[in-house]
């Protein structure tokens, strides 16, 4: 993707017979942010006529960015039938989906279907719009659960801008993508309550400083079936310095992603579960909440007692494990979180028992010391 203003952008591609290159420039696929004059320098009029452009893409102030996309942040993926898709978009009119020709890489433009949010040039609007803070879409299909997972980032891409990872899912490639409450965010207004918040700003034992603005992720499943999220993080150090992180995640019993608390170090979960003596005890716990702000999720103490009770820091609740499985639940403050136990290394190299659980679009991580 390239851009000359905050929304005059385009998605381009090049091809090679070898992954190492050299690559041959092929041109642009999709344009955004054009004017009535510059639209003639794009490929838009190859797909729609000038009347469509004027009636739809142009507003009183120029390009109708609140309804149509900023053509950046593309990612591509195959669906369960081997068809090739590109999801893209940043703020502006939301996240859009287009099919690509597997032989040429070019866009297969759909028929217009306004009732289902399908535009003949831009494709289907999956969610977002109204210039709400949503960007960096990435879709991962998991054939075991049968779901397509749509990851997006909320907030502003600065250390204290509330940047974070959210996830929705759908049984079909073109949606509807919904959150744990079966809802998707409105195209205008507050969207903080929508989407499972996988990661935001947090502090945990073994970290030298709080992790901030964890977002703009991709995701993949390796040859062993392990699932990973790749993203970049900033730090609570007064700068915008950042670096990449890779974390393993698992699906809970209900098929929702649960990200492990620490960067991956080759951990393997026990498919038959853990002894109760391994998982009961004192945990440092963070709840990611659902807000879009600069607040850091600080750890508090919870005890998972042998009798199935939860207590600590004025909190009472319950917890369970599933026999011969790594699945678990933890409940407190009238909310239940469903997740997994996994033994792993913290970022100082100490082996710890950890849990990651989700509920009400919140992620809760626990680390036992």
């Amino acid at each position: 993707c390239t851009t000359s203003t905050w929304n005059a952008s385009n998605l381009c591609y090049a091809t090679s017979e070898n992954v190492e290159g050299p690559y041959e420039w092929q041109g642009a696929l999709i344009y955004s942010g054009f004017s009535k004059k510059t639209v003639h320098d794009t490929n838009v009029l190859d797909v729609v006529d000038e009347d469509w452009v004027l009636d739809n893409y142009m507003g009183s102030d120029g390009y109708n960015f609140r309804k149509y996309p900023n053509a950046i942040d593309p990612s591509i993926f195959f669906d369960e039938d081997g068809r090739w898709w590109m999801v893209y978009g940043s703020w502006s009119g939301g996240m859009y989906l287009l099919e690509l020709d597997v032989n040429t890489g070019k866009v297969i433009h759909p028929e217009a279907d306004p009732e289902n949010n399908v535009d003949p040039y831009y494709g289907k609007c999956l969610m977002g719009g109204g210039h709400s803070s949503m960007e960096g879409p990435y879709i991962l299909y998991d054939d075991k659960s049968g779901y397509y997972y749509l990851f997006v980032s909320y907030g502003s891409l600065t250390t204290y801008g509330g940047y974070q990872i959210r996830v929705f899912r759908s049984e079909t490639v073109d949606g509807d993508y919904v959150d744990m409450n079966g809802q998707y965010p409105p195209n205008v207004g507050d969207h903080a309550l929508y989407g499972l918040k996988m990661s935001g700003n947090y502090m945990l034992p073994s970290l030298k400083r709080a992790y901030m603005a964890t977002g703009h992720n991709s995701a993949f499943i390796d040859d062993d079936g392990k699932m990973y999220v790749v993203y970049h993080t900033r730090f609570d150090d007064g700068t915008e310095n950042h670096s990449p992180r890779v974390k393993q995640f698992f699906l809970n019993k209900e098929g929702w992603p649960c990200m492990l608390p620490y960067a991956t170090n080759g951990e393997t979960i026990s498919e038959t579960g853990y002894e109760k003596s391994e998982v009961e005890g004192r945990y440092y716990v963070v709840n990611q909440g659902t807000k879009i702000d600069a607040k850091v999720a600080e750890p508090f103490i919870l005890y998972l007692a042998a009798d199935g009770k939860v207590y600590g820091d004025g909190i009472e609740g319950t917890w369970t494990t599933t026999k011969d499985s790594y699945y678990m639940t933890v409940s407190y403050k009238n909310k239940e979180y469903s997740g997994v136990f996994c033994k792993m290394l913290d970022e100082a190299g100490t082996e710890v028992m950890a849990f990651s659980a989700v509920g009400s679009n919140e992620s809760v991580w626990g680390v036992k010391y």
Side-chain angles (χ1 to χ4, degrees):
C1 53
T2 70
T3 188
S4 57
T5 71
W6 65 272
N7 72 352
S9 311
N10 56 20
L11 303 177
C12 311
Y13 79 118
T15 58
S16 174
E17 294 182 356
N18 301 296
V19 67
E20 300 92 347
Y23 282 84
E24 182 179 352
W25 173 259
Q26 298 295 337
L29 297 170
I30 294 293
Y31 290 82
S32 67
F34 43 79
S35 67
K36 295 177 184 178
K37 180 179 179 180
T38 60
V39 69
H40 294 275
D41 299 322
T42 74
N43 64 3
V44 175
L45 296 176
D46 294 339
V47 180
V48 297
D49 60 28
E50 291 197 51
D51 287 340
W52 184 275
V53 171
L54 294 175
D55 293 342
N56 293 275
Y57 304 152
M58 307 309 299
S60 58
D61 298 324
Y63 179 74
N64 188 358
F65 67 87
R66 293 186 178 277
K67 184 175 180 180
Y68 294 97
N70 184 10
I72 65 171
D73 291 354
S75 64
I76 59 174
F77 65 98
F78 287 98
D79 69 11
E80 60 180 323
D81 299 318
R83 294 166 68 183
W84 207 20
W85 300 85
M86 176 175 67
V87 61
Y88 67 99
S90 173
W91 290 60
S92 295
M95 311 294 100
Y96 277 73
L97 180 74
L98 278 167
E99 187 173 2
L100 301 180
D101 188 310
V102 295
N103 296 309
T104 66
K106 293 182 178 180
V107 172
I108 300 173
H109 290 281
E111 295 291 328
D113 186 0
E115 290 187 3
N116 291 304
N117 298 318
V118 178
D119 179 80
Y121 181 71
Y122 289 116
K124 180 168 183 176
C125 182
L126 296 179
M127 67 174 55
H131 203 55
S132 59
S133 71
M134 188 182 297
E135 65 181 27
Y138 195 95
I139 292 178
L140 176 71
Y141 176 68
D142 173 46
D143 60 3
K144 292 182 179 179
S145 67
Y147 283 109
Y148 294 89
Y149 294 92
L150 169 60
F151 300 87
V152 296
S153 292
Y154 285 4
S156 175
L157 181 52
T158 60
T159 299
Y160 306 108
Y163 209 57
Q164 58 191 253
I165 300 171
R166 299 277 182 146
V167 65
F168 301 80
R169 73 183 187 188
S170 171
E171 292 181 344
T172 58
V173 67
D174 59 349
D176 289 336
Y177 285 86
V178 298
D179 63 16
M180 297 189 73
N181 299 321
Q183 298 180 327
Y184 54 89
N187 58 10
V188 292
D190 186 12
H191 54 298
L193 296 178
Y194 301 86
L196 167 57
K197 184 177 177 180
M198 290 185 68
S199 182
N201 306 324
Y202 65 89
M203 185 63 184
L204 280 171
S206 82
L207 303 183
K208 295 180 180 179
R209 51 205 183 280
Y211 280 17
M212 308 289 289
T214 56
H216 205 130
N217 71 288
S218 60
F220 68 94
I221 304 172
D222 73 6
D223 291 340
D224 297 323
K226 291 183 177 181
M227 309 176 83
Y228 295 92
V229 166
V230 184
Y231 64 94
H232 52 66
T233 182
R234 285 162 168 77
F235 308 94
D236 192 13
D237 60 2
T239 77
E240 294 300 323
N241 296 333
H242 57 282
S243 63
R245 289 292 184 274
V246 183
K247 286 188 176 182
Q248 191 172 177
F249 71 95
F250 299 91
L251 301 182
N252 66 9
K253 284 189 294 186
E254 296 75 30
W256 284 103
C258 299
M259 182 190 295
L260 292 183
Y262 293 116
T264 187
N265 197 44
E267 62 279 342
T268 297
I269 203 167
S270 173
E271 297 289 342
T272 57
Y274 301 92
E275 296 294 328
K276 200 165 188 180
S277 59
E278 293 182 275
V279 297
E280 64 186 35
R282 177 175 180 263
Y283 284 79
Y284 288 83
V285 176
V286 295
N287 187 324
Q288 299 285 330
T290 57
K291 292 184 178 180
I292 307 173
D293 59 22
K295 185 177 180 180
V296 176
E298 297 283 354
F300 57 94
I301 300 299
L302 279 186
Y303 289 86
L304 306 189
D307 61 359
K309 301 293 186 181
V310 169
Y311 64 91
D313 287 359
I315 295 173
E316 294 183 353
T318 59
W319 69 283
T320 66
T321 59
T322 300
K323 183 176 175 60
D324 299 325
S325 167
Y326 51 73
Y327 294 130
M328 57 83 68
T329 67
V330 58
S331 301
Y332 66 94
K333 293 185 177 180
N334 298 316
K335 291 183 180 180
E336 180 175 278
Y337 303 90
S338 172
V340 303
F341 283 114
C342 185
K343 190 176 291 185
M344 67 182 312
L345 298 182
D346 70 10
E347 293 183 25
T350 302
E351 186 175 77
V352 296
M353 178 59 69
F355 71 78
S356 177
V358 297
S360 301
N361 287 331
E362 301 173 353
S363 290
V364 177
W365 300 339
V367 186
K368 178 184 173 183
Y369 285 92

